[in-house]
Amino acid sequence: MKQYVVGVDVGGTNIKLGVVGPSGKVIVRNSFATKPFASSRMKLISALSRAIEASIMAAGLNKKQILGVGIGLPGLIDYEKGIVRFLPNIPGWHSVHLRSILQKKVHLPVFVDNDVKIITLAESKFGAGRGVKNLVCMTLGTGVGAGLILNGQLYRGQDNAAGELGHIPLNEHGPKCNCGGVGCFEAYVGNRPLFALASRMMGKPGLTTLDMFALAKKGNKKALFFWKTAGQRIGNGLVGIVNLLNPRLIIIGGGVSNNEEFLFKPITDTIRRRAMSLQGSAFKIKRAKFKDDAGIIGAYVLVTNAQK
Ligand SMILES: [Zn+2]
């Protein structure tokens, strides 16, 4: 019986693969560095194909037991046509028909989608968002993105490009952003601006959010104030989302979400204070359940959803 999925999570640094069985259980994991293959897209696609075959073998399965391959990529993806439109962090990927190229190599159905949408599927089906009909799943890191579950369904937008939370403009006179915009949310709460804020507050260069977490744990007052400020910045960006979408749940993932104990209260307080009263009292914040496996488990949901 076909009940397994090969999940692939393509990142700018690493590519993670896993074979996932019923109920989203990961039975085999594999990974390799992206860089040696990033120079040419055919090289990368061949590496993916070899790794997919090897993972099926390592799981002791044959292709008759595999429903398909789900692939998450960091960029603009045409889910319906199976085309990678653009990957900002992996050069040379413009309008690549990844699904049709890879299907010919591995002889299995292939599904491709944006990585944050896939993580959202994982959290919604098996993680922090189980049973919740309306939620926002936000990832905080170098980039800031989000997936939306509205009325129990992943909301894709007209071009599968919905959810660019990091590029909501907050200030028309703010810093320039990689997207071409100005004063985007990401320019205030992405890793780079948070590291800069940390260094400025502590009067010491080169500090990261990890350093600030360690200092806050020791009770350092400036570090605690840093987290309060970061939480207020994040909350300020989410007020509009809460008013617009009226979600029951906001799931926060990515490196910064490890600092839940210092971060979530100022986020919640800011939203409750600034949002409209009904929407502002009806939401909760939770940390994402999955870390490294999120993309692989989400790929399982993507492929199994497509069977219905
Ligand atoms: Zn932007």
Side-chain angles (χ1 to χ4, degrees):
M1 206 175 117
K2 290 185 194 295
Q3 51 181 352
Y4 295 91
V5 166
V6 183
V8 185
D9 183 2
V10 177
T13 312
N14 288 304
I15 294 174
K16 287 175 266 183
L17 288 97
V19 178
V20 189
S23 327
K25 193 175 178 330
V26 183
I27 55 171
V28 158
R29 288 179 183 81
N30 185 8
S31 72
F32 59 95
T34 313
K35 217 177 162 196
F37 305 98
S39 59
S40 116
R41 56 178 196 241
M42 282 321 288
K43 239 175 152 176
L44 186 56
I45 294 172
S46 296
L48 283 178
S49 147
R50 284 195 300 275
I52 291 164
E53 303 273 2
S55 298
I56 296 169
M57 205 126 88
L61 299 170
N62 63 57
K63 284 189 183 169
K64 285 189 189 121
Q65 294 166 288
I66 309 287
L67 269 173
V69 179
I71 306 180
L73 301 112
L76 201 51
I77 314 296
D78 186 328
Y79 162 77
E80 291 198 351
K81 297 200 175 93
I83 298 171
V84 178
R85 293 270 175 228
F86 175 56
L87 302 181
N89 297 315
I90 307 178
W93 284 72
H94 279 276
S95 300
V96 179
H97 288 250
L98 182 59
R99 180 171 70 197
S100 62
I101 300 171
L102 202 55
Q103 273 182 174
K104 279 182 206 133
K105 284 183 181 281
V106 298
H107 306 288
L108 285 168
V110 171
F111 300 84
V112 297
D113 209 342
N114 165 268
D115 56 353
V116 181
K117 288 191 175 61
I118 286 186
I119 289 169
T120 304
L121 288 173
E123 290 294 337
S124 161
K125 177 86 178 175
F126 297 116
R130 267 179 99 150
V132 180
K133 269 176 75 178
N134 293 288
L135 66 84
V136 175
C137 178
M138 166 185 194
T139 57
L140 282 164
T142 309
V144 175
L148 311 171
I149 301 284
L150 303 178
N151 292 326
Q153 298 272 328
L154 179 68
Y155 179 74
R156 296 182 174 282
Q158 193 63 44
D159 299 299
N160 200 35
E164 292 294 350
L165 179 62
H167 302 286
I168 290 188
L170 297 180
N171 177 359
E172 65 176 313
H173 304 294
K176 273 195 182 143
C177 178
N178 289 335
C179 75
V182 166
C184 291
F185 185 36
E186 188 172 293
Y188 297 93
V189 302
N191 278 343
R192 220 169 297 139
L194 286 186
F195 292 0
L197 177 72
S199 296
R200 204 164 60 238
M201 277 186 163
M202 305 304 288
K204 194 177 155 192
L207 289 173
T208 67
T209 43
L210 269 181
D211 300 322
M212 298 309 276
F213 183 53
L215 286 167
K217 275 264 190 203
K218 287 186 202 146
N220 181 296
K221 288 222 168 74
K222 281 185 188 170
L224 290 167
F225 185 65
F226 164 82
W227 286 112
K228 191 177 172 195
T229 309
Q232 284 169 341
R233 283 187 179 187
I234 295 166
N236 281 329
L238 289 172
V239 171
I241 301 298
V242 165
N243 284 347
L244 178 71
L245 300 176
N246 184 208
R248 178 63 77 243
L249 179 66
I250 298 171
I251 299 171
I252 301 186
V256 174
S257 67
N258 294 336
N259 311 297
E260 181 178 349
E261 59 182 297
F262 306 118
L263 195 57
F264 283 16
K265 189 174 182 307
I267 296 176
T268 310
D269 289 350
T270 304
I271 300 174
R272 296 236 195 276
R273 181 167 51 80
R274 293 197 60 200
M276 296 171 80
S277 63
L278 177 67
Q279 296 92 317
S281 60
F283 79 95
K284 268 194 213 141
I285 293 190
K286 268 194 193 174
R287 183 172 158 180
K289 178 177 171 183
F290 301 114
K291 290 194 175 136
D292 281 354
D293 282 344
I296 293 165
I297 294 168
Y300 173 85
V301 182
L302 182 77
V303 175
T304 49
N305 279 356
Q307 315 298 315
K308 287 167 194 164

